[in-house]
Amino acid sequence: MKFCFVFLLVFFSFLGFAQTNFTSQQGKDLYDNYCQTCHGEDMVNPGTVSYDLRKFPKDGKARFIDSVSNGKNGMPSWKSAIALEDMERIWLYVLTQGK
Ligand code: HEC
């Protein structure tokens, strides 16, 4: 019985990861903390000064990680504040385009 419970727990937490919903929600939380002030609630912003992240190319993950790590013009570098795996979570959130 105990084994069964542990198995189910592992199984469902694995499912949670596989579904990406789980991590894009974590990405949203991180986004709300670090990015929202400039990029807007739910990624909605005028797209004038800060980049409209809903338009970020979906195949641009490497560019995303690079720009976020090292900063770009008006955007600060996040390397020392945000772990790489958390940037990956934010990337999953960006892929949802806030929907
Ligand atoms: C202090 C305001 C500010 C904050 C906070 C901020 N950004 Fe930005 N971001 C900008 C500005 C301004 C630009 C436009 C830079 C340019 O291209 O001139 C930008 C551009 C970007 C781009 C496009 C880079 C490219 O390759 O064109 C990405 C991706 C991005 N931000 C992601 C993020 C993420 C993720 C966070 C949170 C970890 C974040 N930003 C937090 C101001 C900010």
Side-chain angles (χ1 to χ4, degrees), residues 31-41 45 50 78:
Y31 176 90
D32 289 350
N33 270 334
Y34 294 106
C35 326
Q36 195 188 47
T37 40
C38 294
H39 288 282
E41 196 177 345
N45 75 73
S50 54
W78 296 99

Side-chain angles (χ1 to χ4, degrees), residues 54-62 91 94-97 99:
R54 291 167 300 169
K55 297 195 182 123
F56 196 85
K58 286 188 187 282
D59 59 357
K61 185 178 173 188
W91 170 243
V94 168
L95 285 180
T96 69
Q97 303 189 311
K99 282 172 205 148

Side-chain angles (χ1 to χ4, degrees), residues 34-35 38-39 51 53 63-64 67 72-73 75 78 82:
Y34 294 106
C35 326
C38 294
H39 288 282
Y51 193 95
L53 288 176
R63 172 177 147 197
F64 178 88
S67 300
K72 196 182 175 196
N73 301 322
M75 180 161 79
W78 296 99
I82 304 177

Side-chain angles (χ1 to χ4, degrees), residues 42-95:
D42 296 331
M43 288 185 274
V44 178
N45 75 73
T48 43
V49 182
S50 54
Y51 193 95
D52 190 328
L53 288 176
R54 291 167 300 169
K55 297 195 182 123
F56 196 85
K58 286 188 187 282
D59 59 357
K61 185 178 173 188
R63 172 177 147 197
F64 178 88
I65 299 288
D66 181 61
S67 300
V68 176
S69 302
N70 302 312
K72 196 182 175 196
N73 301 322
M75 180 161 79
S77 148
W78 296 99
K79 210 173 4 207
S80 53
I82 304 177
L84 183 61
E85 61 200 38
D86 284 343
M87 288 182 197
E88 306 232 4
R89 291 186 170 113
I90 300 176
W91 170 243
L92 287 178
Y93 172 60
V94 168
L95 285 180

